[in-house]
Amino acid sequence: MKARVTVSAILLASGSILASAASAQAIEPATEAQPDSGAQPGIDVIIVTAQKRDQAVNDVPLSISLATGETLAQTGVQNVADLPKLVPGLTFTPSLNASPILTLRGVGFNEYTLGASPTVSVYNDQAPVPFLSMARGNTFDLERVEVLKGPQGILFGQNSTGGAINYIVAKPVDRFEAGFDASYGRFDETVVSGFVNVPLGDTLAGRVSVRTLQMSDWQYDYRNPSDTHGSQDFLEGRAQIGWQPSSGVNVLLSASGWRDKSDTPGTQITGFRFQTTASAAAQQRANALLAVPLAPEEARASSWGDFPRERDDNYLQVSLRGDFDMSDSVTFTSLTSVDRYREDYSYDRDGTSLRILDLLESLGSIDDFSQELRLTGVGDRLNWVLGTNIFTAQASSVNTLTVADATNGIILGRPFSIVTQTFDLDIDEFSFFGNADLTLGSIVTLTGGLRYTNSARRYNGCTRGDAGLSAGLTQLSTILSGSPTTPIVPGECVTLLANQKPGEFFDRLEEDNLSWRAGVTVEPSADALLYANVTKGFKSGSYPILSASTFTQLLPVTQESILAYEAGFKLTLADRRVQLNGAAFYYDYQDKQVRGNILVPVFQVIERLVNVPSSRIAGAELQLQVAPVTGLTLSASGTYLDTKILEFTGLNDARVSQDFRGQPIPYTPKWQISGDAEYRFYDIGNFEPFVGANFVYNSETNSAISTPAFARIKPFTVIDLRAGVTTADGRWTIAAYGRNVTNEYYWTNAYATQDVIVRNAARPVTYGLRVSARFN
């Protein structure tokens, strides 16, 4: 450990030195081409950094969904969980610890272990936010968000098999700016954000921004309606210093973070799936559970046990980026980032007042370090990137649960209540990468990229129990091993190792891979782009945290891979009044990582991570933007997915082995469609009134491979409305909003846990007022 800290310190110091010779547009952000006048029809051309250099979005041969900071505010996007309303093909699922899980074009990892790498990676200005538990904030004071679809493993790392989300924050500029946004809505939802940008000299500027979200309880206990839950208390901030001593040197130091003291959401019990009724004691517990009334189909209805159900989590990221123009065409970049995450939360997973599966406390921490060094070359015919990246992380977690009323909370006649899951994980990764675009003639560009990654994960963990569990596992160990087992002391490891004796499980997973990309782009005119890409991407292996009676439950899943074929087009039509983008894709998905089931003695069906040997995803998407007349803007996007498992055998919901060939991949609705319309009235004195609407449609999907009835997630349509007025100079805006105005009852996840079947319901109709102001 000491050696790793020393290496990290050296790299951090070297990154700082190199950064002082380094262009993140710290003083002036990348510009966006604007129409001649705000009152002229036409679609803005936005500059993006999807390939780690500035390009017009329509010149990038990738499928990209974009949203400006203004769009995020108008549509009520408050965190990463809200992004699917703007990005068809992206789905959000709350995990069993209520942290976000993202699936993009059917590629996702439904895993909630702290330190599990996601398939959809998140970045703050290209600085990695490596774990989704860290990604709850960041959607404030932004220039835009870029969502890159398909494997992005060449430039954004090996775990971007589904895609990458890059938040582009508003940078320090060399003039005074300030502003605030405030809204108040149903359930006393109060969101206030503000920023101040101050020049600190001829070459230095600073920017500070903050945001807070406060909300009263929005859920109630349907067994006792006076008991409410669901309040929100979220605070985040960002401070930046930009230094531009010359035109070729740019340095940006940024510190951002958040603190979350919100309630964890209540779940809804919708049915029963008993683990066992083999004994009189288990049957008695089953009868007690059967007396619990199921939750009504009402978004606010839930139920919970008598223990705290809240968070006290915090996150801090410090990054230092420097860009140095070594010549007119070559730029050196150093990007150093350090993350610190701490969590302390509790969560009622079973949606009842009984103790079927209650997470009484989860204590966790992650500390990580990332250093990227790269050279970028920009020319008339050849553009290239060459770099290296080092990443280290240390994660640990202690989960304390109670199963005192569960049917399998009895082992060999001994009841037990408390189960504690523990693990420690160290991650070391090294990679080097390169990508090049070569233009042949006047309209054809060839693209090629490679990334080699070597990773090592060291893991130790086990389950610990109270007196009942310790005594029961002692007896079970004696039976299975054939020799007496020294009595397990309560609080010591009860997980049975390969010799059927209890102890802590130690393991190591070493992997390497070579991601690659090849593509061709044809631009027959300035307003048309056609492209075809073939990409190979990987996601690293992972270890779980769960209640493990046997070490086989703690074995890791190995790395998964995707071979992606994609062809698409981007067309600018009708004098820049119409933008039409489309793509078709096919993914050969190998060794997909999922939470599956195994059958173990006494405890019956228990979870573990497994690899699905072979799957495939076929799909298509279309994006349309239209600005037909002055003041009117229309947009619509849609994604179609056809997913299928080609090879996998495992336990189904009936606890018997099943061949799952032909089953769809979970969380992959066939259709996802969204649209937005806004009309702005110009030439009305000093004011510009506007009205707008947004909708999202998701077709039916399932949360489990075996597609049992309890895992069904029904189709839903959510409609939002807005209306307001902006001053002609854009300084002031006041607007009213309504979200989910039809009060659609829908849910984002449904699953079986222990003896119960539960779901996570989305919020009901909300409405309120928003005010914003800008000063300079």
Side-chain angles (χ1 to χ4, degrees), residues 301-323:
S302 184
S303 190
W304 41 76
D306 186 17
F307 67 98
R309 303 167 305 282
E310 58 194 14
R311 291 188 174 276
D312 188 2
D313 304 345
N314 62 82
Y315 169 64
L316 174 66
Q317 180 183 74
V318 178
S319 66
L320 178 63
R321 173 171 170 167
D323 296 272

Side-chain angles (χ1 to χ4, degrees), residues 101-132:
I101 292 174
L102 298 175
T103 302
L104 187 54
R105 285 182 170 177
V107 182
F109 187 28
N110 186 20
E111 168 62 358
Y112 54 86
T113 295
L114 195 66
S117 300
T119 59
V120 180
S121 301
V122 177
Y123 298 83
N124 285 332
D125 277 325
Q126 301 179 18
V129 182
F131 307 102
L132 285 182

Side-chain angles (χ1 to χ4, degrees), residues 209-285:
S209 49
V210 296
R211 176 177 176 270
T212 180
L213 187 159
Q214 306 292 321
M215 190 176 74
S216 300
D217 293 341
W218 70 278
Q219 295 179 300
Y220 68 89
D221 190 332
Y222 58 90
R223 301 183 66 184
N224 179 19
S226 64
D227 188 7
T228 59
H229 183 69
S231 67
Q232 300 289 295
D233 181 358
F234 193 85
L235 176 67
E236 57 187 324
R238 183 185 302 118
Q240 303 173 84
I241 296 290
W243 180 45
Q244 191 174 17
S246 66
S247 60
V249 177
N250 213 314
V251 180
L252 181 66
L253 175 64
S254 176
S256 62
W258 51 258
R259 182 267 293 155
D260 189 358
K261 291 192 174 184
S262 305
D263 289 348
T264 51
T267 57
Q268 296 183 334
I269 180 172
T270 62
F272 309 101
R273 190 196 67 168
F274 298 111
Q275 291 279 38
T276 180
T277 55
S279 67
Q283 184 62 61
Q284 184 178 10
R285 293 185 176 191

Side-chain angles (χ1 to χ4, degrees), residues 354-592:
L354 298 176
R355 296 167 295 174
I356 307 301
L357 185 60
D358 291 338
L359 179 57
L360 300 179
E361 185 176 45
S362 178
L363 295 172
S365 67
I366 304 176
D367 294 279
D368 66 68
F369 168 83
S370 175
Q371 174 65 60
E372 180 173 307
L373 304 173
R374 69 175 185 261
L375 289 170
T376 304
V378 178
D380 293 335
R381 294 191 175 274
L382 178 64
N383 298 288
W384 54 271
V385 177
L386 185 66
T388 185
N389 183 272
I390 293 176
F391 175 75
T392 67
Q394 300 82 45
S396 65
S397 184
V398 179
N399 289 349
T400 301
L401 307 100
T402 178
V403 292
D405 297 321
T407 60
N408 63 348
I410 303 167
I411 179 169
L412 301 178
R414 296 178 175 85
F416 64 92
S417 175
I418 301 299
V419 179
T420 302
Q421 309 161 340
T422 66
F423 88 89
D424 291 283
L425 177 68
D426 286 356
I427 304 173
D428 289 301
E429 293 181 352
F430 167 77
S431 64
F432 59 85
F433 58 90
N435 191 78
D437 298 324
L438 176 63
T439 300
L440 305 176
S442 59
I443 65 172
V444 177
T445 299
L446 301 181
T447 298
L450 293 171
R451 187 185 192 106
Y452 172 78
T453 302
N454 183 283
S455 67
R457 280 167 164 73
R458 292 171 299 280
Y459 174 91
N460 61 280
C462 70
T463 296
R464 307 169 191 270
D466 58 13
L469 184 60
S470 298
L473 262 298
T474 299
Q475 183 178 351
L476 182 62
S477 173
T478 297
I479 295 170
L480 296 177
S481 67
S483 62
T485 295
T486 302
I488 303 171
V489 176
E492 290 185 347
C493 292
V494 301
T495 302
L496 302 184
L497 304 179
N499 61 0
Q500 302 299 338
K501 297 297 183 180
E504 189 167 13
F505 176 64
F506 292 83
D507 201 36
R508 181 182 177 92
L509 178 64
E510 296 190 23
E511 299 175 312
D512 66 350
N513 58 68
L514 184 66
S515 302
W516 54 268
R517 176 190 175 203
V520 59
T521 304
V522 179
E523 294 187 76
S525 73
D527 295 327
L529 180 143
L530 309 174
Y531 69 88
N533 297 320
V534 182
T535 309
K536 180 77 169 184
F538 290 86
K539 180 199 170 300
S540 59
S542 187
Y543 287 91
I545 184 170
L546 42 73
S547 299
S549 59
T550 172
F551 80 99
T552 56
Q553 294 175 252
L554 301 180
L555 293 173
V557 283
T558 56
Q559 62 187 357
E560 66 179 31
S561 68
I562 287 179
L563 181 60
Y565 304 86
E566 179 171 340
F569 62 86
K570 298 184 178 184
L571 303 176
T572 303
L573 307 170
D575 193 24
R576 204 169 39 80
R577 298 188 184 196
V578 177
Q579 182 67 42
L580 180 63
N581 300 342
F585 49 89
Y586 180 90
Y587 293 172
D588 180 0
Y589 202 169
Q590 299 295 307
D591 296 316
K592 174 178 172 55

Side-chain angles (χ1 to χ4, degrees), residues 84-164:
K85 69 166 63 178
L86 300 176
V87 185
L90 180 67
T91 60
F92 159 77
T93 304
S95 70
L96 288 181
N97 68 358
S99 62
I101 292 174
L102 298 175
T103 302
L104 187 54
R105 285 182 170 177
V107 182
F109 187 28
N110 186 20
E111 168 62 358
Y112 54 86
T113 295
L114 195 66
S117 300
T119 59
V120 180
S121 301
V122 177
Y123 298 83
N124 285 332
D125 277 325
Q126 301 179 18
V129 182
F131 307 102
L132 285 182
S133 55
M134 301 173 172
R136 280 175 251 165
N138 304 315
T139 52
F140 73 108
D141 197 24
L142 297 179
E143 289 182 17
R144 65 187 181 277
V145 59
E146 304 172 5
V147 180
L148 316 181
K149 301 178 181 180
Q152 304 296 322
I154 307 303
L155 297 178
F156 288 95
Q158 66 161 335
N159 291 318
S160 300
T161 46

Side-chain angles (χ1 to χ4, degrees), residues 586-592 612-618 642-649 659-665 705:
Y586 180 90
Y587 293 172
D588 180 0
Y589 202 169
Q590 299 295 307
D591 296 316
K592 174 178 172 55
V612 176
S614 182
S615 311
R616 65 104 170 124
I617 299 172
D642 180 24
T643 68
K644 186 175 293 185
I645 292 172
L646 303 179
E647 179 187 352
F648 179 53
T649 299
D659 186 344
F660 292 111
R661 278 182 294 183
Q663 296 286 342
I665 295 175
I705 287 178

